[in-house]
Amino acid sequence: MSEIVGRPRRNSIELVGAKAGTAMPAEMRQALNLRGLVPASVEDFTKQEMRAFQQLMSKPSSLEKYEFLANLRCINVNLFFRLVMNHFKEIAPIIYTPTVGEACLNYSHIYPFIYPGHMSVGLFITLGDVDNVDLVIQNYRESMTEHNDPEITVITDGSRILGLGDLGINGMAIPIGKLQLYVAAAGLNPARTLPIVLDFGTNSKKYQNDPLYLGTRQPRPDDETFYNATGKVLSALYRAFPDILVQFEDFSTDHAFGLLDQWRNKALCFNDDIQGTGSVILAGFISAVEQAGIAPTDQRILFVGAGSAGVGVAKQLVEYMMLEYNISEEQAKAMFWFVDSRGMITANRGDTLAAHKVYFARHDNDDTQCTSLEDALEYVKPTALIGLSTIYKAFSENILSRMNELNPHGRPIIFPLSNPESKAECTFEEAMRCTNNRVLFASGTAFPEYTIPETGEVRVPAQGNNMYVFPSIGLGAALCKPSRITDTMIYAVSKALANSLDNKERARGELYPRIERIRDVSARLTAAFITQAVHEGNVRDQHWVHIVEANMPEGVDTKTVSGLFTKRVLGEVKALMWEPASSVEQYMFEAITFENPDEI
């Protein structure tokens, strides 16, 4: 059949026009023979966003809001990110914690309905794919409408999702949500992000027996098979994309430490559960110590939960104490105690400790063994209580009240960091009531504000959410292309986060900047990350070396980790942060120019 005269072929310009939706210009509608086929009104982006936000807010449940946004992301990525960025406080808890936990639990059941058409949302790699993973990557490349190599991947095997356990392939919602935060918070290009789930099986009988489960229904492999298979996948990724940053996410504790130890010194990678959590909590701890009324080196810090996140946080606090206060590693380590499911962790407890717990095992307890948190509290008499246990209400009202009694001359630091809310050790309201409103509080999940009944004063809880730091690490790596990510580069991010509080936030006694400032804060943290990387001689893009070295203020000691940076570096970072188009004209021009410059 011959082609109809005057009807243009369906090409990249038509696809771009379609993605503009109700904002498609009248001239393009005419050229594409759409007259009478769509509503006549030509809208601007403001009206599109208004309609989308109204629809979002009309959904009765958080999961339905998640589904609406996932669908929108596939239909109109520009509108999706404008919506997220302009309503970040409201939408971040939907695309990530806490709602993403619910999405993970239901992922196999909702998957076909949240990704329209056959759009690829990432890589689903089984053990059977491992020996042909180069072909899988090639398939991914060919499926992309925008042929950009990814700058960053978030990869999980779904074995330890949030505090929800082994969810298998359902954990894919985590890399997807996390990469959306990389884009919205720090300005990475969404076309250059790659979510990956390693579908190596699941030990969950629930999912093995679920007829609608979309993953491999087999038990997880042994360690040798796991590390061999994961090594092949990572090697193929670095082969295909030499500059890619790999962020490990929600692996089981032993595998999380094992992968990081194997790869951190030979490739560009980091583990957000270990290093990102440690970084953001360190920043909050720095701010809390400034207000606690107890000397930093006199702090007695009790951790509840000794998984990868807890140990990762504690190790970063140890390094901070060593660097900031010039004390030995043994002196710094002596400030920390851990409680796990069997009680206080000691070298003579009588059980075989997991490898990652050995570092913090106490040797000074003589014959004292504490089998409960209550016993440990009386033995340690902590000034700070940090929870990464995933045990709901582990910080009972008795525990919280006792923390207040133990610290009459200083304010108790209480950080219930487990996610989601159903796993949180306590709420902000409980911590405020039980400490006579004296608590220095940060949580892993969002809690509502609290009004002090006696005064009417409104207090805002700090949320020690990793979204403050991991987007900046990602953007910094994408821009300056370090050979690896060092602990001191992440430490610089922590210092910069603590330094980023503005005068109003400091006056209110807040521990983190308001989440509404996330883009500006991310730019500052990225500038600190890049500056520290240059100081360490760890930058492959010489452009950044020249900018940092040419603008270094006199008297700055580049051997110390300060988290400081210059306005020139900050300005350069901000100029390179991706943003969605703010107008129809900008969107059409940028999209068509990228898709097919010869048609302009």
Side-chain angles (χ1 to χ4, degrees):
M1 181 177 179
S2 61
E3 186 175 344
I4 299 174
V5 176
R7 183 179 294 277
R9 292 172 297 176
R10 186 168 178 81
N11 54 25
S12 60
I13 295 180
E14 184 174 351
L15 292 172
V16 169
K19 288 188 176 182
T22 56
M24 186 192 301
E27 298 82 2
M28 178 166 283
R29 298 180 186 203
Q30 182 72 22
L32 297 176
N33 300 295
L34 294 176
R35 186 170 183 175
L37 304 184
V38 295
S41 178
V42 177
E43 298 185 317
D44 58 20
F45 277 1
T46 301
K47 285 187 178 179
Q48 279 191 339
E49 186 180 323
M50 183 188 306
R51 179 182 291 107
F53 189 69
Q54 285 180 351
Q55 284 297 303
L56 174 66
M57 291 294 102
S58 72
K59 305 301 178 185
S61 70
S62 295
L63 184 59
E64 287 172 281
K65 289 182 172 71
Y66 177 92
E67 293 170 343
F68 173 83
L69 289 169
N71 202 290
L72 179 62
R73 168 68 177 82
C74 292
I75 295 171
N76 191 329
V77 67
N78 190 70
L79 175 57
F80 171 81
F81 280 110
R82 278 190 286 113
L83 199 66
V84 174
M85 290 168 57
N86 291 334
H87 303 276
F88 192 84
K89 185 177 181 180
E90 296 90 347
I91 293 179
I94 300 172
I95 61 175
Y96 204 60
T97 57
T99 305
V100 74
E102 187 178 0
C104 286
L105 293 172
N106 293 278
Y107 192 76
S108 286
H109 293 245
I110 64 177
Y111 172 86
F113 311 111
I114 57 177
Y115 305 127
H118 297 88
M119 176 180 289
S120 171
V121 296
L123 301 185
F124 299 81
I125 301 174
T126 69
L127 285 173
D129 295 324
V130 165
D131 290 329
N132 297 291
V133 72
D134 291 310
L135 177 61
V136 172
I137 292 172
Q138 183 60 33
N139 290 341
Y140 169 78
R141 275 179 153 159
E142 292 177 358
S143 74
M144 294 293 97
T145 56
E146 298 181 12
H147 299 292
N148 280 328
D149 283 350
E151 295 176 316
I152 181 170
T153 179
V154 176
I155 183 170
T156 186
D157 69 347
S159 57
R160 191 188 59 84
I161 297 297
L162 302 174
L164 303 173
D166 183 353
L167 304 189
I169 200 176
N170 295 329
M172 181 55 145
I174 296 291
I176 290 173
K178 205 137 201 177
L179 287 167
Q180 290 169 355
L181 293 179
Y182 274 102
V183 175
L188 278 88
N189 186 336
R192 305 193 68 179
T193 64
L194 174 58
I196 299 176
V197 62
L198 301 178
D199 182 16
F200 289 178
T202 175
N203 291 335
S204 169
K205 296 298 183 184
K206 172 184 175 181
Y207 296 119
Q208 288 179 9
N209 297 325
D210 181 355
L212 297 182
Y213 178 63
L214 290 171
T216 303
R217 289 185 179 83
Q218 64 185 35
R220 291 190 175 276
D222 58 32
D223 283 354
E224 181 179 358
T225 303
F226 169 84
Y227 283 114
N228 181 57
T230 306
K232 289 181 179 180
V233 172
L234 293 172
S235 296
L237 282 170
Y238 287 120
R239 220 169 24 246
F241 314 117
D243 293 329
I244 196 169
L245 169 65
V246 172
Q247 188 224 292
F248 299 116
E249 179 73 18
D250 285 350
F251 285 85
S252 66
T253 298
D254 290 344
H255 289 167
F257 281 105
L259 287 171
L260 187 61
D261 289 344
Q262 281 186 9
W263 290 90
R264 66 184 303 174
N265 292 319
K266 62 182 180 181
L268 189 59
C269 65
F270 80 107
N271 184 301
D272 185 53
D273 301 307
I274 298 172
Q275 296 164 289
T277 302
S279 178
V280 74
I281 301 312
L282 171 56
F285 188 79
I286 292 171
S287 299
V289 166
E290 291 176 356
Q291 304 176 45
I294 299 171
T297 52
D298 289 337
Q299 292 283 340
R300 299 168 64 83
I301 306 163
L302 178 59
F303 274 77
V304 182
S308 59
V311 172
V313 169
K315 284 188 173 181
Q316 291 203 33
L317 292 178
V318 166
E319 185 171 1
Y320 163 73
M321 290 294 176
M322 292 167 57
L323 292 172
E324 197 71 15
Y325 301 104
N326 196 30
I327 62 177
S328 69
E329 182 177 6
E330 287 305 310
Q331 287 175 304
K333 191 168 66 171
M335 298 167 60
F336 295 81
W337 289 259
F338 271 82
V339 170
D340 65 9
S341 61
R342 300 192 61 176
M344 188 172 71
I345 297 177
T346 65
N348 61 350
R349 193 168 68 175
D351 60 330
T352 301
L353 297 175
H356 68 278
K357 297 182 182 181
V358 172
Y359 180 82
F360 284 106
R362 301 297 300 198
H363 293 262
D364 58 354
N365 59 300
D366 297 325
D367 294 327
T368 301
Q369 303 295 340
C370 301
T371 58
S372 67
L373 174 55
E374 289 79 3
D375 291 343
L377 203 71
E378 297 303 323
Y379 176 77
V380 175
K381 295 179 172 54
T383 58
L385 183 63
I386 299 178
L388 282 156
S389 66
T390 71
I391 299 174
Y392 183 60
K393 302 290 187 182
F395 299 169
S396 66
E397 295 198 0
N398 287 338
I399 293 287
L400 296 171
S401 297
R402 186 59 179 148
M403 277 293 295
N404 190 50
E405 294 168 357
L406 290 169
N407 293 279
H409 304 299
R411 298 175 65 186
I413 298 171
I414 298 174
F415 286 10
L417 300 175
S418 293
N419 265 316
E421 184 177 347
S422 61
K423 303 289 183 179
E425 286 81 7
C426 70
T427 67
F428 181 49
E429 178 185 355
E430 290 165 347
M432 289 288 287
R433 283 194 293 100
C434 295
T435 63
N436 295 325
N437 309 313
R438 299 173 62 242
V439 67
L440 291 162
F441 179 96
S443 59
T445 195
F447 285 111
E449 298 173 344
Y450 177 73
T451 301
I452 300 175
E454 294 80 7
T455 64
E457 180 185 355
V458 177
R459 295 277 184 89
V460 179
Q463 185 182 4
N465 197 308
N466 293 23
M467 75 172 74
Y468 278 113
V469 298
F470 68 74
S472 304
I473 295 171
L475 181 61
L479 293 179
C480 75
K481 296 178 172 54
S483 57
R484 62 191 182 95
I485 293 177
T486 65
D487 288 340
T488 42
M489 288 158 64
I490 295 177
Y491 177 43
V493 170
S494 300
K495 293 289 290 287
L497 179 55
N499 293 338
S500 69
L501 290 162
D502 63 26
N503 291 335
K504 290 182 179 179
E505 290 160 347
R506 292 182 189 279
R508 291 191 294 258
E510 296 178 8
L511 304 186
Y512 294 102
R514 292 292 175 100
I515 200 69
E516 293 89 342
R517 297 201 298 117
I518 190 71
R519 289 279 287 197
D520 177 65
V521 171
S522 292
R524 293 173 177 275
L525 271 56
T526 300
F529 177 94
I530 292 173
T531 299
Q532 183 62 31
V534 171
H535 291 340
E536 296 179 17
N538 187 23
V539 171
R540 288 177 288 169
D541 188 337
Q542 292 302 303
H543 170 75
W544 292 100
V545 176
H546 299 321
I547 290 177
V548 171
E549 292 183 347
N551 294 275
M552 187 59 59
E554 293 184 10
V556 172
D557 183 1
T558 60
K559 294 182 180 179
T560 63
V561 183
S562 66
L564 301 177
F565 49 86
T566 64
K567 289 183 179 179
R568 173 66 195 283
V569 175
L570 178 61
E572 189 81 3
V573 168
K574 287 184 174 181
L576 294 171
M577 294 170 73
W578 180 89
E579 291 186 5
S582 58
S583 69
V584 178
E585 293 75 18
Q586 178 191 356
Y587 173 69
M588 299 296 291
F589 178 79
E590 290 179 354
I592 295 174
T593 300
F594 178 85
E595 288 286 340
N596 196 340
D598 294 335
E599 295 188 23
I600 300 299

